Amino acid sequence: MSSLEIFSPTDLNDALRFIEHDGRNAAVIASGTDLLPRMRRRQISPSILVDISSFTEDLRYIRQSDGTIRLGALTTVTNLLESPMFYGNLSIVREAAMLFGAPQVRNVATVGGNICSAASSEDLIPVFMALDAKLKLVSARGERTVPLKDFIVGKRQTAMKPSEILAEVSFSPPEGHGWTAYEKLGRRNMLILAIVNEALSLTLEDDVRTIRSARVALNRVSGKIPALAVKTNDFLKGRRVTDQTIAQAQKVLASELSLTSDFRGSGEYRAEVAQVYLRRLMERCTRQIGGHS
Ligand SMILES: Cc1cc2nc3c(=O)[nH]c(=O)nc-3n(C[C@H](O)[C@H](O)[C@H](O)COP(=O)(O)OP(=O)(O)OC[C@H]3O[C@@H](n4cnc5c(N)ncnc54)[C@H](O)[C@@H]3O)c2cc1C
């Protein structure tokens, strides 16, 4: 039987120094709501857990400066729900947080753990992708910033090096005539892992009809990988919001989805739901933009 050690670093620098040398066999643990069930199922078998959960002074915060919102990696889903920041054109974050697990999970589940799990059932990944979030990765050698859209490189795979820790997620609210919205389909109302989840950040030109930018992101675009619906987003840019545009965009979305079936739903069903959600998200955002301009 393989043994498991737990390392409790004194601070972030201590953790970074440790994983610089022993990162390959180690896994960072925040609250463990994703990691521990996976270890129990023997999907991963790290030999050392590096416990960062006590670094709340350094890594748990929600700040806003110069129009950018910054979330420390240890920010919990409950922290998101309790923040006054996620109303209006940023209510997408609140919507996703409200649909997340159950209160017990929300109280501990962290933003950083959600993103680093890179799973196709996570609520916050499509939301932050739609918001074009950037990730601050720190290591003993320094720090770098990676756009979230480039961070997830495969099924449960990220661009993070074993010597790195995710420290911060940052994004800006949509500018001008912009709005955001989120839809999630699960099998029940609580403790649901998403069958389909889809997020949209939509910005219109001053005429409040022409699309300046659309960022649709889903929990699965190809296989089990969360990603932006790049072709759909390109198609929507510069078009007027009409029934016909949305109907055409639904077809483009269907053509770029390459979904597999599993016990939660078939690929065909997921693609059908994704198209319905696209229309719903477009209508919700344009209605809100119309009401606020
Ligand atoms: C009952 C239950 C219900 C759930 N419901 C939902 C749901 O509705 N929606 C949803 O999205 N998820 C859900 N989850 C999954 C899980 O709660 C989330 O993914 C959560 O955000 C993970 O955060 P964590 O702090 O527990 O991460 P952990 O389990 O500690 O870590 C997850 C992964 O990220 C890595 N990691 C964590 N933090 C960092 C960091 N700062 N830097 C580098 N690597 C890091 C770990 O090594 C691990 O690989 C549920 C889980 C359970 C058990």
Side-chain angles (χ1 to χ4, degrees):
M1 209 208 300
S2 56
S3 65
L4 177 68
E5 286 176 46
I6 298 182
F7 176 61
S8 300
T10 50
D11 57 22
L12 184 57
N13 286 333
D14 194 19
L16 294 175
R17 272 194 304 271
F18 182 83
I19 58 174
E20 177 73 19
H21 299 290
D22 293 297
R24 287 204 182 276
N25 299 321
V28 166
I29 180 164
S31 292
T33 60
D34 174 73
L35 184 70
L36 295 178
R38 294 188 73 214
M39 288 175 62
R40 238 174 266 132
R41 293 194 293 266
R42 297 187 192 281
Q43 289 165 332
I44 45 168
S45 312
S47 50
I48 306 165
L49 295 183
V50 180
D51 182 3
I52 62 165
S53 61
S54 62
F55 303 163
T56 48
E57 283 214 354
D58 287 335
L59 295 180
R60 181 166 295 160
Y61 54 83
I62 301 178
R63 296 180 188 140
Q64 183 169 26
S65 59
D66 301 330
T68 302
I69 291 171
R70 299 179 189 283
L71 310 178
L74 289 182
T75 302
T76 66
V77 176
T78 298
N79 294 150
L80 299 177
L81 275 173
E82 288 173 348
S83 167
M85 214 85 87
F86 304 117
Y87 288 86
N89 63 4
L90 273 181
S91 50
I92 188 172
V93 176
R94 193 176 164 72
E95 282 181 46
M98 285 172 78
L99 293 168
F100 195 110
Q104 295 90 330
V105 185
R106 295 201 281 264
N107 285 344
V108 292
T110 64
V111 163
N114 203 264
I115 292 171
C116 293
S117 73
S120 62
S121 51
E122 305 300 40
D123 281 297
L124 299 178
I125 294 174
V127 167
F128 292 142
M129 274 187 181
L131 289 168
D132 200 13
K134 312 277 184 297
L135 308 181
K136 184 163 99 182
L137 303 175
V138 294
S139 74
R141 293 157 192 247
E143 62 178 63
R144 63 182 178 127
T145 302
V146 178
L148 173 57
K149 71 177 172 58
D150 301 331
F151 182 70
I152 297 176
V153 294
K155 184 182 162 193
R156 289 250 185 209
Q157 286 177 336
T158 72
M160 193 164 50
K161 296 178 189 147
S163 57
E164 290 178 320
I165 286 178
L166 170 61
E168 185 181 90
V169 185
S170 61
F171 53 87
S172 303
E175 289 178 343
H177 305 288
W179 207 264
T180 58
Y182 180 69
E183 294 282 343
K184 172 179 182 176
L185 176 76
R187 281 183 155 178
R188 47 182 189 271
N189 293 331
M190 262 220 175
L191 282 173
I192 23 170
L193 286 182
I195 296 172
V196 177
N197 61 22
E198 192 166 333
L200 171 65
S201 174
L202 181 75
T203 305
L204 302 183
E205 301 287 1
D206 288 343
D207 63 6
V208 202
R209 288 200 167 284
T210 312
I211 298 168
R212 181 178 292 178
S213 80
R215 290 178 68 89
V216 179
L218 297 103
N219 62 332
R220 296 174 182 208
V221 170
S222 167
K224 293 190 173 180
I225 305 167
L228 287 167
V230 176
K231 288 185 186 157
T232 309
N233 297 339
D234 286 349
F235 173 83
L236 285 166
K237 192 174 159 71
R239 290 177 195 265
R240 282 168 77 83
V241 183
T242 61
D243 250 17
Q244 197 192 8
T245 300
I246 296 176
Q248 288 172 333
Q250 286 176 305
K251 288 196 178 123
V252 177
L253 179 62
S255 75
E256 75 173 307
L257 295 178
S258 166
L259 302 177
T260 47
S261 304
D262 60 25
F263 68 96
R264 289 204 180 88
S266 69
E268 292 78 14
Y269 177 59
R270 289 174 192 272
E272 198 66 41
V273 174
Q275 290 174 79
V276 172
Y277 279 174
L278 178 61
R279 174 170 288 278
R280 209 179 277 178
L281 291 167
M282 288 291 294
E283 289 175 352
R284 284 180 56 198
C285 285
T286 45
R287 217 171 23 243
Q288 287 291 347
I289 295 168
H292 284 78
S293 31

